[in-house]
């Protein structure tokens, strides 16, 4: 049986810059969510606006992007998210990320 080609995770943050409660913010303090997709070759994260009252994400309010190539840099210390030569990868992974984990489930 085939398995999904990617895994997904999310991370809450109170702001763009580190603060005292960055690693464990209260719900009322969460202003940004980081959504990540991990494939065999890359990890891609979009940090987007979040409304803690409605629990809605604003995909148009992108605060930052991170892209790490595990083939070139498995330590994830070089962010390729703004490198023009990776724009097609960013576009593809951004689409997959926004479609969500349900679209990455294996198909018979």
């Amino acid at each position: 049986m085939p398995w999904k080609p990617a895994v997904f995770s999310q991370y809450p943050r109170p702001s763009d810059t580190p603060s005292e409660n960055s690693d464990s913010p209260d719900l009322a303090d969460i202003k940004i969510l980081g959504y990540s997709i991990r494939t065999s070759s890359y990890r891609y994260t979009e940090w987007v606006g979040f409304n803690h009252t409605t629990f809605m994400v604003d995909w148009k309010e992108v605060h930052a992007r991170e892209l790490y190539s595990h083939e070139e840099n498995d330590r994830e210390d070089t962010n390729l998210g703004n490198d023009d030569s990776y724009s097609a990868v960013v576009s593809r992974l951004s689409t997959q990320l926004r479609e969500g984990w349900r679209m990455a489930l294996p198909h018979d």
Side-chain angles (χ1 to χ4, degrees):
M1 175 169 149
W3 192 234
K4 60 186 175 184
V7 294
F8 297 78
S9 55
Q10 64 187 52
Y11 307 92
R13 291 291 183 256
S15 65
D16 287 319
T17 56
S19 62
E20 188 174 308
N21 66 343
S22 286
D23 290 332
S24 189
D26 293 330
L27 177 59
D29 294 334
I30 299 171
K31 308 279 189 286
I32 301 167
L33 279 179
Y35 285 89
S36 294
I37 180 171
R38 171 71 162 89
T39 67
S40 60
S41 301
Y42 299 100
R43 181 174 65 84
Y44 176 70
T45 302
E46 282 189 16
W47 295 95
V48 295
F50 175 73
N51 183 318
H52 70 273
T53 304
T54 62
F55 298 99
M56 297 297 294
V57 171
D58 184 353
W59 288 105
K60 294 178 182 173
E61 184 187 334
V62 177
H63 291 251
R65 290 182 172 85
E66 296 177 49
L67 175 68
Y68 301 100
S69 170
H70 292 124
E71 295 171 355
E72 297 174 25
N73 180 8
D74 61 357
R75 293 184 335 186
E76 295 189 354
D77 56 8
T78 303
N79 181 2
L80 304 169
N82 294 317
D83 184 327
D84 289 341
S85 63
Y86 286 87
S87 62
V89 174
V90 167
S91 180
R92 178 174 49 85
L93 292 174
S94 179
T95 298
Q96 284 183 265
L97 181 66
R98 292 165 189 232
E99 288 176 346
W101 63 268
R102 287 179 183 88
M103 293 301 291
L105 292 173
H107 302 284
D108 292 333

